[in-house]
Structures are given as structure tokens and as C-alpha cells.
Amino acid sequence: MCGIAGIFATKASAPANISATIGRMVNTIEHRGPDDQGTWVGSGIALGHARLSIIDLTAAGHQPMPNEDGGLQIVFNGEIYNFVELRAELSELGYHFKSHTDTEVILNGYHCWGEQVFQRLRGMFAVALWDQRHEKLVLARDRVGKKPLFYAWHGDVLLFGSEIKAILAWPGFKREPDYEAIHHYLTLQYIPAPWSAFKGVKKLPQASYMVVDRDGQANTQKYWALPEPSQAHLRPLPELKEELVTLLDETVRMRMIADVPLGAFLSGGVDSSAIVAMMARHSSGRVKTFCIGFDEASYDERAYARMVAERYDTDHHEMVVRPDAAAILPLLAWHYNEPFADPSAIPTYYVAQIARQHVTVALNGDGGDESFLGYSRYSQCLQTEWISSLPRLFRQLASRIVQSIPPDVDRYRALRVARRWLSYVSEKDSRRYAPSMAYFYEHDKVAGYDRHLRPLLGNSSLDLLEPYFQQSKSYVGGAAWADIHTYLPDDLLVKVDIASMAHGLEARSPLLDHKLMEWAARIPSAQKMEFGVTKSILKSALEPFLPSEVLYRPKMGFGVPVDEWLKGELKEFAYDTLLSSQARQRGLVTPDYVKTMLDEHCGRIRLHHTRLWALLMLELWFQMWIDPAEAPLLPPGTPTSM
């Protein structure tokens, strides 16, 4: 796990400052790779790398790495779990290796198979490869989007990096907010790909590679897709359970290969507990596990994590998270590069911090809820499947009633509930799904948007989700299909990548193995949620390995008591930040609307914590990345400037 950056000058000679600038770009992401740094500069091309040594800790793993004849150069962030098999195949074809790294396997694999090499890789990766033979740059991301890759054009110069801050290190790069991206953020709590919060900066989509030639022509190709929900079919349950355990065991075992200490995040939920159970089967010593808890009992899962830790005799470590806005929020604003409103970023940051004190690699349970229908909102979807069969005339009538209810009656609970249920009946699937995942609803935006965002009111962020619902035969299947392609890569994987890399920790996700995901995608929703039980097939398959108290308790998720924090410890901070003179002049959400939300939430009249948290993180992002004359290329509190 590392950080990469690069510069490609097309149509023009190399900028005079290219050598100094690539070093500056790498310095901005050195937290991702604290073990080694390297740069390589060619004719109009520069590559940079910050290395976190995991496989082959020797200098042979230094990057940028050339191939044997020097015609290729690569920088790579990630891990390839089938690199040993690919290395053997390439050796039989006559390729030589100077290291034991997976990086060199990608390098020789590209020389042999070209861009088709990406289809052969089993793992997580962001790759930049300079092909001198054909005068082209190749950028690629893994299938699910575990490893990030941003790019931007500055005139005829292409800039790219693992984090946006590497691009901002380019002299004269203009930092402007992308209001359309912010509009989507306020609904979704994250910036969806291909947008970024900065105008002109884009995310390379997952499961894609982009080829850029000397003329500046860029061509992006998708190289993989999950089987669509329509391809799912019923199979005998005992057979599925046996295959599931076999696949899970394999994906965990593959991710335990490392030349450094290794452990696991253990929340006490089904997914992370399953990973620890499988790890215990293959570990020669005690598995190191790490857990975060809260003083608020309704959010605290440590008791369940201890059950699993005791069952498998793990070396268990815990930490209680308490709000310290002055310390943590500026750090999050810096590390995440964009506004990011998922509050579980806080415990994820801390659990990565305590894990890094003991290990360099940590396995986690990400991906289980999307592939196996684990979220409680999927149960709600299942309960409302009947709406799709209602007569069209009835649904149109419900739509007219919803439109007639003015936004200002939302303070009355009965009318608010009525609006919600009538919306379920009348709206598209993506709109019906919104109350279970959206932060700002459409009527919130109508009531609160100020001058910069008001022109975007006709552009619903929920339209980004609708195509995924249309590809599924069922409402619940469409919800999971949408989450796999949006919420998973753009929220959950961003959260873990940034939080872990902030501490130089590699996070591995066995449940996101693409072969396991392909297998799960072919199982119908009815078998994943038998009798309405979320993740029933996974839970029943794991009964021999985990306590029933862990398997069948109500799902908590990685919840954070932001609602209580904003009424207590963070109340003054929220008022001061969101009603500051700077915030009032942004032109995003009207100050009166913001104050009303604060007053209603703190007065326990109506909960607004999700919307307030989104606005709080947005304002901190503006203060960190847009307001200063120079981009803050070092973390807050760093005494020296770059």
C-alpha cells in the first residue's frame, strides 16, 4: 500500500520545474508510504512514489520501477494476491525478475499482455505505467475501487495522484469548488465519482483504465463488471453455504500473505467477526484484533467484539472514542481532501491509529452488507416491494398530493410522516430509497439552498442511483446494486483508505474479493434474506464459527453518536463554525435555514444531525482547502512549511 503521483506533458516540451514538482507532489502523500520515496523523470513524463513496504522489504522493491530493458516504468499502490501464480506463468514465458514484489509482476505482465493484464489481477490497485515504446501513459484502478486515483488537466499537462493534494502541489493549479459535486454531496454524504469537490479534478472510475498518448488523447475503457441481478438463480442452500465458507476461507488466507505484522479490525459485527474466525484457522500465533467503542451504550459494540476475541483467543485492543473537535476534525478535513460526511470516519481513523501501533496490515469486513444484504434498510425495502405493483393511476394521485404539501409543515411530525409514505407510493425506486440513505432531501434543498446551489435544484442527485434500480427485478436487489456501485466505492472504501493510509496502515478487505463478489451476485435476494432476515445466508453459513449472540443480534453498523454530540460537546463548535461570517457568505445554504436546524436539533424539536454534520464537514473543507492563499500541503499542526 503506497501513494503514487505523476506528470505527463502532452503536445509540449516538459515544464522546467518538472523534477522539483514531482518531488513536491510525493511529499504531500508521504503518510501513505513512510518507508521510502522515489521519483523518475523522462521526456515530458515524471512518476513519483511513496512506499509502504509490505512484500519484499528490500531495496529491490523501490519504485518507480523499470522493466528489464527500461522501456517501461511503473508506480503502483495496492496488493496483488495472485502475484505468485502470475509470476510463475511469466517465468515460463521467459521473463526475469529481480525482486519478489507484486509490482514487478504487473510490470512484466503489462509487457506480455498489454492492458489485458488488469483482468488477470486479483487484488486492489491503482497503477500508473509509462510505455516508452508507444509513447503513452496508462492509468488503472481495481475492480471495486479500493485504491483511489485522481487526475486533472492543467493546459496540456496531465496531473494525477492517489490523493487530490498531490495535484494541488502543481504550481498555479486553481482551487475552485465544484458546486454540482457539492450538490450531490449534500444528498449522498460523499462526492460521487467521477466528480471531485474541486473543479477540474476527476476520479478515474473503478474497474477502468485510461490510456493517454502524446497528442493528449485520453481513452477510458471498462475492463470488468459484476454479473447483473437478472443473472441470479436459486440453488440448494446447503450447497451455497458450503461454497461460501470455502470462498471466504480462501479470500482471507490470500490476504494473510505479508512480510510485516498483520491483524484485523473487530467491530463485533458479523462481517469483521467472520474475518477473524477465518484468520484464526490460518494463523500460527494469536491474531491481533482492534476495536473502537463509545461511552453511549446504544452505539457501543465492544461486548460483542470481546465474545469473538475470547472465542479465538486474540490479542485484543480497545479504545473509547470521545469527541475532540479541535484535534480530530481539522485532521479529517486535511486527510480526506474533499468534504466527507460519513461520521464513522472518526472511529475508523482511531482504530487505524491504534492498529498501526502493533501491525502494518489490518483485515476488515467491508463489503459483506452490500453483497449479502446486511443493512437494515434492505429489510425496509423488502417490506415495500408491494408498492411496485400498485396501479399507475393511484401512484400518480399520490404524487399530486405530495406536491401539494408545503415544505414549511415539516416541523409537524404527522405531516412529515404522511409526506414520506406518500412519496414511497408515488416516486421512482431511487426516491423511495432516499429516506433510508439521503442527508438533504429534495424539499430540504428547496427550502435551504442559497445562490450558488439554487440553480441546481432541478438536477436530482437521486437520478445517479436510478439506473441501478432499473437493472434489477426487485426493489431490494436494486437498492443493493446501487449501493455496490455508488455508496461502497465512493463512501466506505474512501473512508477506510484515507483513515488507514493517514497512519501508514494497509487495510485489506476479503469480502471484496472480486471472485467472491461475482459468486454472491448470482444468488437471488430471496436466498440472501430468507424470511426477511438480513444476510441470512452468510449468518447461517457461519453458525459453526461464531456465537449466535453475534450472528443474530440487531445490526448496529459502525454508528457514531453525532446526534448527541451536537447537542452537547460539539454544540458550541457547531454554532460558531456554521454561523461564522465566512460560512454565512458562502452562498450555499441560507444562514437562517442553518440556524433553524441548529435550534431545532439542540432544542430536541427535530433531529437534523446528518444534515448539520454534512454542513460542518463542508465548511471545514472550505476553510482548509479553498480559503487559504496557498494549498495546505502539510497536515495541520506541522511546524515547517514545504
Side-chain angles (χ1 to χ4, degrees):
M1 198 80 73
C2 310
I4 66 175
I7 304 165
F8 182 28
T10 66
K11 299 182 181 179
S13 58
N17 59 352
I18 190 170
S19 296
T21 302
I22 188 62
R24 181 180 171 89
M25 293 170 74
V26 173
N27 286 343
T28 68
I29 53 174
E30 64 180 351
H31 51 279
R32 299 182 68 93
D35 297 329
D36 185 27
Q37 290 186 21
T39 61
W40 173 84
V41 179
S43 177
I45 178 75
L47 301 177
H49 188 259
R51 184 187 183 195
L52 178 63
S53 303
I54 303 294
I55 301 291
D56 190 345
L57 309 185
T58 71
H62 178 80
Q63 298 184 45
M65 181 182 289
N67 72 330
E68 194 169 22
D69 65 12
L72 300 173
Q73 292 277 347
I74 189 174
V75 285
F76 160 57
N77 168 30
E79 294 290 343
I80 307 303
Y81 304 118
N82 64 334
F83 80 97
V84 174
E85 295 87 345
L86 292 175
R87 178 190 172 104
E89 184 178 352
L90 289 164
S91 295
E92 289 182 4
L93 294 172
Y95 285 89
H96 301 100
F97 292 84
K98 298 180 180 179
S99 73
H100 296 283
T101 64
D102 48 358
T103 307
E104 195 173 11
V105 170
I106 303 174
L107 191 60
N108 285 333
Y110 176 84
H111 188 277
C112 181
W113 303 306
E115 286 85 11
Q116 292 183 358
V117 67
F118 304 124
Q119 300 175 19
R120 292 172 170 260
L121 304 180
R122 188 173 181 179
M124 53 184 177
F125 56 87
V127 172
L129 197 148
W130 171 244
D131 185 343
Q132 182 63 47
R133 299 169 299 173
H134 301 100
E135 289 277 292
K136 66 181 182 180
L137 175 71
V138 181
L139 304 178
R141 283 185 74 196
D142 64 69
R143 291 170 177 82
V144 190
K146 293 177 231 177
K147 294 292 98 191
L149 192 54
F150 297 86
Y151 68 93
W153 288 95
H154 191 266
D156 292 330
V157 178
L158 177 67
L159 309 168
F160 62 88
S162 295
E163 296 185 18
I164 297 174
K165 56 178 65 74
I167 294 172
L168 301 184
W170 181 263
F173 193 91
K174 198 170 184 180
R175 290 171 288 123
E176 292 183 289
D178 186 321
Y179 291 116
E180 184 176 9
I182 291 170
H183 167 65
H184 295 319
Y185 158 81
L186 289 173
T187 296
L188 302 171
Q189 77 179 338
Y190 56 84
I191 306 287
W195 287 275
S196 85
F198 293 90
K199 188 180 293 185
V201 179
K202 300 295 183 186
K203 299 165 185 168
L204 183 68
Q206 66 267 30
S208 301
Y209 63 85
M210 183 169 72
V211 180
V212 188
D213 63 24
R214 276 292 189 189
D215 292 328
Q217 297 297 314
N219 181 34
T220 301
Q221 296 285 334
K222 193 171 182 67
Y223 64 84
W224 177 83
L226 272 175
E228 293 189 4
S230 60
Q231 300 178 33
H233 60 277
L234 293 169
R235 289 176 54 202
L237 189 59
E239 184 179 301
L240 288 173
K241 288 164 60 176
E242 182 179 352
E243 290 177 7
L244 176 50
V245 171
T246 299
L247 274 169
L248 181 57
D249 185 74
E250 178 195 32
T251 62
V252 170
R253 176 181 52 78
M254 293 178 73
R255 284 158 181 78
M256 293 181 69
I257 299 172
D259 295 332
V260 293
L262 180 145
F265 296 161
L266 179 59
S267 68
V270 173
D271 300 328
S272 64
S273 299
I275 300 305
V276 170
M278 297 299 115
M279 289 177 71
R281 303 175 75 181
H282 299 287
S283 180
S284 58
R286 299 174 71 198
V287 176
K288 296 181 184 297
T289 54
F290 308 94
C291 179
I292 288 293
F294 299 95
D295 289 329
E296 294 81 357
S298 60
Y299 290 87
D300 194 27
E301 297 184 280
R302 284 176 294 163
Y304 298 101
R306 288 172 196 152
M307 286 183 188
V308 178
E310 290 170 4
R311 177 161 180 167
Y312 290 101
D313 188 30
T314 72
D315 180 8
H316 192 57
H317 304 264
E318 295 182 352
M319 177 182 180
V320 175
V321 173
R322 298 180 178 91
D324 184 358
I328 188 63
L329 294 186
L331 279 172
L332 293 182
W334 187 84
H335 278 292
Y336 277 88
N337 305 277
E338 301 182 285
F340 187 74
D342 186 337
S344 63
I346 295 175
T348 305
Y349 180 90
Y350 282 127
V351 77
Q353 184 180 64
I354 64 169
R356 189 61 177 92
Q357 296 169 14
H358 303 272
V359 300
T360 311
V361 176
L363 276 63
N364 62 55
D366 287 345
D369 288 316
E370 290 79 13
S371 286
F372 295 101
L373 302 184
Y375 294 125
S376 57
R377 60 180 181 254
Y378 297 152
S379 294
Q380 298 166 8
C381 291
L382 194 63
Q383 294 168 7
T384 58
E385 288 273 5
W386 57 272
I387 292 176
S388 300
S389 62
L390 288 174
R392 183 177 179 183
L393 185 62
F394 181 85
R395 299 183 71 182
Q396 289 175 340
L397 176 62
S399 177
R400 286 195 289 270
I401 294 173
V402 169
Q403 293 171 11
S404 69
I405 301 176
D408 59 3
V409 302
D410 268 8
R411 68 187 63 188
Y412 303 107
R413 185 177 183 277
L415 289 175
R416 198 163 64 244
V417 171
R419 179 202 296 274
R420 181 174 299 176
W421 275 102
L422 287 170
S423 295
Y424 280 160
V425 170
S426 64
E427 293 285 14
K428 299 176 182 177
D429 286 349
S430 59
R431 270 62 169 179
R432 288 164 51 202
Y433 193 47
S436 64
M437 45 69 65
Y439 275 39
F440 277 78
Y441 304 145
E442 303 300 318
H443 56 275
D444 293 318
K445 293 182 175 184
V446 170
Y449 267 10
D450 210 340
R451 63 184 185 278
H452 286 310
L453 296 179
R454 202 175 297 123
L456 296 165
L457 284 173
N459 177 12
S460 175
S461 305
L462 299 174
D463 288 338
L464 302 175
L465 310 182
E466 188 61 30
Y468 301 108
F469 282 94
Q470 294 176 358
Q471 292 171 21
S472 176
K473 294 179 180 178
S474 70
Y475 179 39
V476 65
W481 193 241
D483 285 343
I484 285 174
H485 291 89
T486 56
Y487 175 65
L488 176 64
D490 294 333
D491 182 316
L492 298 185
L493 300 186
V494 171
K495 175 185 69 179
V496 173
D497 174 80
I498 293 294
S500 59
M501 286 283 87
H503 303 289
L505 177 76
E506 174 171 299
R508 297 179 178 179
S509 308
L511 287 166
L512 290 175
D513 182 274
H514 79 272
K515 291 187 179 296
L516 176 59
M517 292 184 72
E518 288 172 345
W519 178 87
R522 294 187 174 95
I523 302 173
S525 300
Q527 286 193 295
K528 294 179 183 178
M529 286 184 65
E530 272 199 320
F531 310 111
V533 176
T534 56
K535 216 152 41 182
S536 62
I537 188 172
L538 181 62
K539 292 174 180 177
S540 60
L542 292 171
E543 284 177 350
F545 304 98
L546 295 174
S548 60
E549 296 93 332
V550 170
L551 289 173
Y552 294 106
R553 67 185 176 91
K555 181 176 177 59
M556 293 176 66
F558 211 11
V560 181
V562 169
D563 53 344
E564 294 302 322
W565 288 356
L566 287 171
K567 297 170 190 170
E569 295 92 334
L570 296 184
K571 177 180 176 180
E572 184 177 353
F573 178 79
Y575 269 93
D576 290 347
T577 303
L578 293 179
L579 298 178
S580 67
S581 58
Q582 287 175 299
R584 287 174 175 273
Q585 296 169 16
R586 298 280 181 216
L588 303 175
V589 179
T590 62
D592 287 346
Y593 190 77
V594 175
K595 187 175 187 306
T596 297
M597 284 197 295
L598 283 166
D599 291 344
E600 288 184 350
H601 184 83
C602 295
R604 302 182 183 272
I605 298 170
R606 181 187 171 193
L607 290 176
H608 292 287
H609 55 286
T610 54
R611 288 173 285 279
L612 290 171
W613 190 258
L615 291 177
L616 189 60
M617 299 312 295
L618 178 60
E619 175 59 23
L620 293 175
W621 175 77
F622 266 94
Q623 293 180 14
M624 177 70 67
W625 291 105
I626 300 299
D627 294 346
E630 298 290 336
L633 301 181
L634 289 174
T638 304
T640 57
S641 60
M642 190 176 299

